[in-house]
Amino acid sequence: QVQLVESGGGLVQPGGSLRLSCAASGRGFTIYSMGWYRQAPGKTRELVATIVTGGTTNYADSAKGRFTISRDNAKNTVYLQMSSLNPEDTAIYFCNANARLGYLRNDYWGQGTQVTVSS
């Protein structure tokens, strides 16, 4: 199995910045991509950003220009640097990894970390 643990969430004022981290652990797996998704109260889960091993990134329109995703392949860790935060960014942020374990390639999820943007 693949375990993902997020960290770095918390309370930040509008216009502030926050960096989320997610580390993958386990044995015998190969990660192809990692990413961040979020779910606000009363809303469905939505993609924020993804990054593949080669470095190609994909951002939601709401994240472009404000958020930066990066990855340390050697440590199987993904980061999300968030700037110019606004209350609409308030959500639980979930880490995702698309990984192969044995012959099966699946999506794995972390437990989520709360980000609250409020004055």
Side-chain angles (χ1 to χ4, degrees):
Q1 197 62 248
V2 180
Q3 291 83 42
L4 303 175
V5 179
E6 303 100 331
S7 62
L11 176 65
V12 64
Q13 293 185 338
S17 299
L18 207 61
R19 190 180 82 151
L20 306 182
S21 300
C22 173
S25 63
R27 293 186 297 179
F29 64 89
T30 300
I31 294 179
Y32 296 100
S33 66
M34 300 187 76
W36 292 94
Y37 295 72
R38 68 186 183 186
Q39 186 169 10
K43 303 291 185 179
T44 58
R45 186 178 62 187
E46 64 177 3
L47 181 147
V48 178
T50 60
I51 185 169
V52 301
T53 302
T56 301
T57 58
N58 181 47
Y59 294 93
D61 288 341
S62 61
K64 291 179 180 177
R66 300 189 301 126
F67 296 180
T68 301
I69 188 170
S70 60
R71 177 178 172 181
D72 185 336
N73 291 330
K75 296 184 178 296
N76 286 326
T77 300
V78 65
Y79 307 92
L80 184 67
Q81 178 65 51
M82 303 184 291
S83 300
S84 301
L85 288 164
N86 58 66
E88 287 67 44
D89 296 314
T90 296
I92 301 175
Y93 285 70
F94 296 93
C95 178
N96 167 269
N98 186 262
R100 183 177 300 279
L101 185 62
Y103 71 92
L104 187 61
R105 184 169 173 171
N106 275 333
D107 284 311
Y108 299 86
W109 297 91
Q111 81 288 348
T113 184
Q114 177 70 49
V115 172
T116 302
V117 185
S118 176
S119 60

